[in-house]
Amino acid sequence: MASASHRRSLRTRRTLVVSAAVVAAGVGAGAVVMNANAQAVDLYHQTLAAKDGWASSGTGTTGGTKADSAHTFTVSTRAQLVKALGSASDTTPRIIKVKGTIDANTDDAGKKLTCANYASGTGYSLSSYLKAYDPATYGRSKLPSGTQETARAAAQKKQAATIVFKVPANTTIVGVPGTKAGISGGMLQIQNVDNVIVRNLAFAGTEDCFPQWDPTDGDDGNWNSNYDSVTLRGATHVWADHNTFTDALHLDSANPKYYGREYQIHDGSLDITKSSDLVTVSRNRFTNHDKTMLIGSSDSEPSGKLRVSIHHNVWKGIVQRAPLSRVGQIHIYNNYYDVTTLNGYAVQYSINSRAKAQVVAANNYWTVPSSVKVSKLLSGDGTGAIAGSGNLVNGTTTDLVAAYNAASSKDLKTSVNWTPTLTAGLETSAKNLPASLATTTGAGVLS
């Protein structure tokens, strides 16, 4: 994937100019913070600003800012990252600086691992799996079971043991500026822990070697994969900021079809599920992906959680789930959506509100080609709500809910049961977002 230049002197000067302009405009909640002497704040100890979205609620989100020297790490390999993370149950504050790109599909010695390595010894082979569960002979009424499904699950378990990184509470993980910092092929799992910061990282190529065939999924069945680049499960107080998420280098257009359905090796980019709560997602870039952000994994998740703020992000070449929201109170503001088809990723919708989700979507900007109807930008199941105003389509103020409801039999509700108050950095006009977010979002921007 393409990366911005990291020449230090130019980046430093640009950061000073951009930061000063952003702060002057009153929109600096997610940008680089400057002190009175115009020096960049220590990125590794920076905490979420007051009132910057749901993650600032209560105790706020400070990550590993209290880490001592023994729990401050610089990592550049998978093995080093695993060691720095330690036990997922250890709540000792820690700061992890990621230098360069970490390839998750490597062993402890740094040797490259492939799908064949994970399958070795399990008895799994794709050709045998396809033969065993061909709908023409196996049918479509039940999930796969038996020898090859057991082998597939074993191979997937081997891959998971390598590429899933379990993040403990009170942790800050930040990419070192100027190093093209990121994680390739891996998943950060933030599960049942509190107070985590993830910033300035490029996530790419998170791929499942062993998707499962589900003939009961939809009318024609589907292949389902198992890994998100970042996944929150029962997590609280999480700030994801200035990261880049992409399928590159393997785009969905390269996926084969089996049983007439796409063999999907990608899952989510940043999923927030299992009653996660108090999350702020700011100034990230989401690109070249299908199912991008899921908030709530089930329509039956209990109420009172899944409170998420999503602001100043760029969504480009995204098919759906930007986000898909269930149950919770979600504030989506000052985001830029370009729904022009990119590398074969054609939009189905941007925002979905279902399972009584209470979404406020305000002051966002959509670039929409003539081939896409405005009514396609939203989606719902008839129980979710989307309130808000100030949304622009190609520069024109547009009532997105009215456009959707006019074309749908399952109307979105237009009022919600809450009023956003944690809105530091909110811009009351979306007109400048395409230009301003082009240079202030994603990995590689922070200094």
Side-chain angles (χ1 to χ4, degrees), residues 108-121:
D108 289 346
K111 181 182 177 181
K112 180 67 178 177
L113 297 175
T114 67
C115 295
N117 294 120
Y118 301 129
S120 178

Side-chain angles (χ1 to χ4, degrees), residues 149-171:
E149 173 56 22
T150 299
R152 185 206 65 81
Q156 190 176 68
K157 185 177 180 180
K158 285 180 65 176
Q159 184 182 13
T162 298
I163 71 168
V164 175
F165 304 107
K166 298 179 180 180
V167 182
N170 305 315
T171 295

Side-chain angles (χ1 to χ4, degrees), residues 308-367:
V308 181
S309 297
I310 302 167
H311 72 81
H312 293 93
N313 302 282
V314 171
W315 313 75
K316 189 171 185 177
I318 298 302
V319 177
Q320 59 182 313
R321 300 187 182 181
L324 185 156
S325 302
R326 290 183 168 107
V327 179
Q329 296 175 331
I330 295 95
H331 194 195
I332 305 169
Y333 62 97
N334 295 156
N335 296 277
Y336 173 51
Y337 297 85
D338 184 346
V339 299
T340 307
T341 298
L342 178 66
N343 294 321
Y345 293 90
V347 68
Q348 291 183 14
Y349 65 83
S350 295
I351 300 171
N352 182 307
S353 179
R354 60 186 302 111
K356 299 182 180 180
Q358 303 291 298
V359 177
V360 177
N363 305 109
N364 301 288
Y365 192 109
W366 273 264
T367 291

Side-chain angles (χ1 to χ4, degrees), residues 350-397:
S350 295
I351 300 171
N352 182 307
S353 179
R354 60 186 302 111
K356 299 182 180 180
Q358 303 291 298
V359 177
V360 177
N363 305 109
N364 301 288
Y365 192 109
W366 273 264
T367 291
V368 181
S370 59
S371 58
V372 176
K373 295 180 179 180
V374 174
S375 59
K376 288 188 63 176
L377 301 181
L378 304 182
S379 183
D381 67 348
T383 71
I386 299 182
S389 61
N391 295 302
L392 304 183
V393 174
N394 298 332
T396 299
T397 302

Side-chain angles (χ1 to χ4, degrees), residues 166-181:
K166 298 179 180 180
V167 182
N170 305 315
T171 295
T172 293
I173 306 177
V174 181
V176 176
T179 69
K180 299 182 179 179

Side-chain angles (χ1 to χ4, degrees), residues 2-287:
S3 298
S5 170
H6 293 293
R7 290 176 294 174
R8 185 70 184 181
S9 59
L10 290 178
R11 187 182 70 252
T12 301
R13 289 199 298 270
R14 182 168 63 249
T15 300
L16 291 172
V17 172
V18 170
S19 298
V22 169
V23 172
V27 298
V32 176
V33 176
M34 312 300 292
N35 66 22
N37 296 317
Q39 298 294 316
V41 167
D42 177 0
L43 183 63
Y44 311 110
H45 291 85
Q46 192 171 347
T47 61
L48 180 63
K51 296 187 178 182
D52 187 351
W54 276 115
S56 67
S57 181
T59 57
T61 302
T62 59
T65 190
K66 294 181 180 180
D68 58 21
S69 59
H71 293 89
T72 300
F73 310 89
T74 299
V75 302
S76 56
T77 68
R78 174 194 161 275
Q80 290 171 349
L81 176 57
V82 170
K83 184 177 180 180
L85 287 168
S87 170
S89 62
D90 185 353
T91 61
T92 306
R94 70 194 63 224
I95 294 172
I96 301 174
K97 307 174 185 180
V98 177
K99 186 176 183 180
T101 301
I102 292 175
D103 186 347
N105 287 288
T106 53
D107 65 15
D108 289 346
K111 181 182 177 181
K112 180 67 178 177
L113 297 175
T114 67
C115 295
N117 294 120
Y118 301 129
S120 178
T122 66
Y124 172 86
S125 77
L126 178 59
S127 60
S128 297
Y129 191 90
L130 291 174
K131 182 179 180 180
Y133 306 112
D134 188 333
T137 54
Y138 185 80
R140 294 182 175 272
S141 62
K142 59 182 179 179
L143 285 170
S145 64
T147 302
Q148 271 301 300
E149 173 56 22
T150 299
R152 185 206 65 81
Q156 190 176 68
K157 185 177 180 180
K158 285 180 65 176
Q159 184 182 13
T162 298
I163 71 168
V164 175
F165 304 107
K166 298 179 180 180
V167 182
N170 305 315
T171 295
T172 293
I173 306 177
V174 181
V176 176
T179 69
K180 299 182 179 179
I183 298 175
S184 173
M187 177 173 85
L188 292 184
Q189 179 176 296
I190 307 170
Q191 181 167 331
N192 298 327
V193 297
D194 180 69
N195 193 29
V196 173
I197 295 173
V198 179
R199 305 182 75 199
N200 206 36
L201 292 171
F203 294 92
T206 304
E207 300 169 5
D208 188 345
C209 288
F210 312 103
Q212 182 186 36
W213 170 245
D214 182 353
T216 69
D217 184 353
D219 294 335
D220 301 308
N222 275 305
W223 292 95
N224 294 314
S225 56
N226 201 42
Y227 309 111
D228 311 317
S229 293
V230 178
T231 189
L232 279 58
R233 302 172 183 172
T236 53
H237 289 110
V238 178
W239 180 30
D241 175 73
H242 278 97
N243 303 294
T244 297
F245 298 85
T246 178
D247 286 350
L249 296 168
H250 182 110
L251 304 177
D252 279 355
S253 58
N255 291 340
K257 287 186 176 181
Y258 300 120
Y259 308 151
R261 304 296 291 166
E262 180 183 353
Y263 190 68
Q264 180 56 268
I265 62 174
H266 302 118
D267 196 9
S269 291
L270 171 57
D271 280 5
I272 304 164
T273 63
K274 304 293 184 182
S275 294
S276 291
D277 198 24
L278 304 176
V279 179
T280 296
V281 180
S282 60
R283 297 191 179 272
N284 302 281
R285 295 184 68 87
F286 298 93
T287 184

